[in-house]
Amino acid sequence: MYAVSPPRLACLASFAAAMALLAACADRPPPGTVACAQLPAALGALPGLRLTQANDHPVDARGHPAHCLVQGQLAERTGIDGKRYAIGFEMRLPQGWNKRFLHQANGGNDGVVQPALGDLGVLAQDALSRGFAVISSDAGHRAEDPANAAAGLVRGNLFGLDPQARRDQGHAAIGAVWTVAQALMARHYGGPPRHNYLAGCANGGRQAMVAASRYAERYDGILAGAPGFNLPRAALQHAWDVQHWQSVASDLRRAFSPADMALVADRVLARCDGLDLLVDGMVGDLKRCQQAFRLADLQCTGAKTAACLSAPQVQALGQSFAGPRNRSGQALYSDWSFDAGIGTAGWRTWKLESTIAPWDRLPIIATLGAASLAYVYGTPPTQVVGTPAALVDYLAHFDFDRDAARIFASDATFPESAMALMTPPDAANPTLAALARHGGKMIVYHGNSDPVFSVNDTLAWAERLQHNLGPAAAGAVARVFPVPGMGHCQGGPATDRFDALGALVAWVEAGQPPDRLVASVNPGNRELPAGWSPQRSRPLCPWPQVARYAGGPVEAAASFRCAAP
């Protein structure tokens, strides 16, 4: 264990005492209610908690009800790096409360207190507008801390130099913020919520799956989108991709043109579109598609043309989709599925080339992703200069034997590895035993064309859960819904609007398990193919079922059935 100074011990002790007192407030709510403006006085004397704002907000044009907005800081402290840390949060407590609470888990590297609206890209209506009380936090650090301003592109990752900040982002902030939310609801409304929910996508989906294992007794329903539950492993893919892209072109942005990737997507559709018994520009049967599509068929027999890929391109793309391995051939993350969304601008922005000038138009994996791998997921952290060139060079020289092992490593300063902090404790052998005992339910959704976290990793997790519990018992606690064509959390050639939150509430509160989710076209999705009907809807089926056309109007979800593969 690393050494803890007496001031740090005192801070931890006072924070623990504050959390115990807050929990007592939540468990034994006082009679009556406390007005919004009076909440700082009601809770502000508790050590470890500082409410900085509590104001009433009127109904707005987006359909949000009048509500009390509370903002504050938890566990303010100085890290071992000499910088100031705290868990920043905000909570919105609506009038006409439906007695439901939603813990909003946020994406990216956290570091920002996102508006506590309970908004996910796939939802047409956010949680606050439905009457939920919602809390959001920065998970214990500030991405734009002025103390890190000179660090360039790595400034949002420097919290990885502090072990407690790593722990807060991994899972500890979830527990701390939940307790505050319960106390605020108890004081403001005079009683606890009837039901507690947690929802998030990407890193937020990871936090949702972590909560399903670490904090299962607290949540009745958990919604996990694009869950990067193996986040440190997934970060290894960044280095793997960069090294293989550079085997095609030293400037990785030139490894594949937009036309090259559109060619691959078109060929995927040509081989796989009709596998669900309807040709509609969507791959409905992902697993059969991987058997039907052959990347090697795209290789040029002569010079490179617009109708084929060069041999180095085929080799690099095949290696990328096979996933990272060390020299002994051991898989370090997951393989990936070919789907229709890999030709989109969103996929390209993550993997090959962005339009962001300060990044030198490099993709997200080679900038922000590289910084996370260096500073947050490795022990000890690798301190890389925050320039695009330095970050690409770090990935280009990443050693998959020596460096990859750092995601599992710990030392005297960082006593818990990134894998121990960031992943569910039972990720490799899931049972969701505590969630099932509590009677909780979990819905997971994941885009089949997600360029950040492999849908195959999520589906393998689902299959392990079904193997451990049996299909019926697994389906009684968690259901996983792949989304054809969808990219990272939303977008892509997909029906990417569906009410997963409403389905979760119906399952938790009315005992109605979701046998399908009806997904429709999102009019704001800029990656929709030009010929798609704006009325298109499709069923999303719980894995391993797939949607098959059964006859009827081709744009209607009712014309499809969820069937065994």
Side-chain angles (χ1 to χ4, degrees):
M1 296 291 288
Y2 63 97
V4 182
S5 65
R8 170 70 173 152
L9 283 171
C11 176
L12 288 172
S14 63
F15 182 57
M19 292 301 98
L21 188 53
L22 283 169
C25 291
D27 292 339
R28 296 188 296 276
T33 62
V34 174
C36 184
Q38 301 305 313
L39 285 171
L43 294 176
L46 296 174
L49 172 66
R50 180 168 62 91
L51 298 186
T52 58
Q53 176 178 313
N55 296 320
D56 287 308
H57 284 242
V59 173
D60 66 22
R62 295 178 58 189
H64 299 129
H67 61 274
C68 171
L69 171 61
V70 180
Q71 296 177 330
Q73 304 280 317
L74 276 169
E76 295 174 277
R77 62 185 179 83
T78 299
I80 67 168
D81 55 359
K83 296 173 182 174
R84 294 294 298 166
Y85 289 94
I87 302 172
F89 69 90
E90 76 166 40
M91 188 165 191
R92 296 178 188 247
L93 301 145
Q95 294 180 17
W97 183 40
N98 63 13
K99 296 195 175 181
R100 298 185 181 107
F101 162 62
L102 181 77
H103 186 151
Q104 173 185 310
N106 296 312
N109 280 324
D110 293 295
V112 177
V113 180
Q114 299 289 352
L117 305 174
D119 189 17
L120 294 171
V122 301
L123 299 178
Q125 183 184 25
D126 63 39
L128 181 64
S129 64
R130 303 181 197 214
F132 284 73
V134 184
I135 200 165
S136 165
S137 88
D138 61 11
H141 64 276
R142 287 190 295 166
E144 295 299 331
D145 186 339
N148 299 331
L153 295 182
V154 303
R155 61 186 179 275
N157 304 90
L158 294 185
F159 74 93
L161 298 175
D162 180 72
Q164 183 61 36
R166 284 189 177 195
R167 191 169 193 272
D168 285 339
Q169 198 214 15
H171 63 82
I174 299 173
V177 168
W178 184 89
T179 305
V180 172
Q182 299 299 312
L184 283 168
M185 288 182 288
R187 293 291 182 135
H188 187 57
Y189 296 122
R194 288 201 185 105
H195 297 285
N196 294 290
Y197 295 87
L198 186 149
C201 196
N203 175 51
R206 175 197 68 80
Q207 292 179 49
M209 289 189 72
V210 168
S213 293
R214 289 187 179 272
Y215 304 103
E217 72 286 351
R218 296 183 172 182
Y219 296 102
D220 304 305
I222 292 175
L223 179 57
F229 65 94
N230 269 323
L231 184 51
R233 287 181 182 268
L236 300 177
Q237 182 79 32
H238 305 334
W240 186 254
D241 283 342
V242 164
Q243 292 181 21
H244 284 89
W245 301 159
Q246 288 188 331
S247 72
V248 178
S250 57
D251 181 351
L252 62 94
R253 299 168 299 182
R254 299 179 180 273
F256 296 86
S257 69
D260 289 333
M261 295 310 301
L263 173 68
V264 179
D266 289 345
R267 189 63 60 88
V268 170
L269 282 173
R271 296 305 301 268
C272 303
D273 193 350
L275 295 176
D276 59 358
L277 308 181
L278 179 68
V279 175
D280 59 355
M282 303 177 74
V283 176
D285 193 332
L286 187 70
K287 198 166 188 177
R288 287 181 65 198
C289 180
Q290 306 318 300
Q291 301 166 354
F293 173 72
R294 283 174 43 85
L295 181 62
D297 292 344
L298 278 169
Q299 185 168 322
C300 303
T301 56
K304 170 76 170 78
T305 71
C308 61
L309 299 179
S310 69
Q313 285 179 314
V314 169
Q315 176 71 12
L317 199 58
Q319 288 294 319
S320 168
F321 273 65
R325 294 179 178 270
N326 59 23
R327 290 187 186 90
S328 65
Q330 177 188 9
L332 300 175
Y333 177 46
S334 170
D335 60 356
W336 302 70
S337 283
F338 285 94
D339 186 44
I342 63 175
T344 63
W347 195 94
R348 185 173 189 83
T349 295
W350 277 97
K351 288 283 197 179
L352 288 162
E353 181 183 25
S354 75
T355 59
I356 301 173
W359 298 0
D360 287 348
R361 296 186 298 105
L362 288 167
I364 296 173
I365 65 166
T367 49
L368 305 187
S372 296
L373 180 58
Y375 281 91
V376 184
Y377 306 141
T379 300
T382 301
Q383 299 196 35
V384 180
V385 175
T387 64
L391 289 164
V392 168
D393 185 69
Y394 162 69
L395 295 180
H397 293 91
F398 191 88
D399 187 294
F400 288 94
D401 287 285
R402 179 193 65 235
D403 299 330
R406 292 184 178 185
I407 69 173
F408 299 98
S410 59
D411 60 22
T413 303
F414 298 89
E416 298 166 286
S417 73
M419 286 294 292
L421 289 173
M422 302 293 288
T423 64
D426 61 347
N429 188 32
T431 62
L432 297 180
L435 189 66
R437 283 195 303 270
H438 177 64
K441 310 297 181 185
M442 181 161 66
I443 290 177
V444 180
Y445 64 89
H446 201 148
N448 290 352
S449 292
D450 190 336
V452 189
F453 304 122
S454 172
V455 69
N456 291 4
D457 197 31
T458 298
L459 299 180
W461 176 89
E463 290 173 352
R464 291 194 298 271
L465 181 69
Q466 291 166 2
H467 176 267
N468 287 341
L469 302 185
V477 66
R479 299 194 179 191
V480 177
F481 294 85
V483 187
M486 191 172 82
H488 187 53
C489 291
Q490 62 187 106
T495 50
D496 66 336
R497 173 156 286 180
F498 47 93
D499 190 10
L501 179 58
L504 183 62
V505 169
W507 193 7
V508 168
E509 300 180 23
Q512 299 172 359
D515 294 327
R516 58 166 52 191
L517 300 177
V518 176
S520 59
V521 165
N522 180 354
N525 182 356
R526 298 180 180 180
E527 296 181 327
L528 287 174
W532 280 27
S533 167
Q535 281 74 48
R536 172 170 291 191
S537 63
R538 292 289 184 269
L540 306 179
C541 302
W543 186 259
Q545 296 182 32
V546 296
R548 298 202 188 282
Y549 180 62
V554 298
E555 300 296 353
S559 300
F560 294 76
R561 61 189 176 90
C562 289

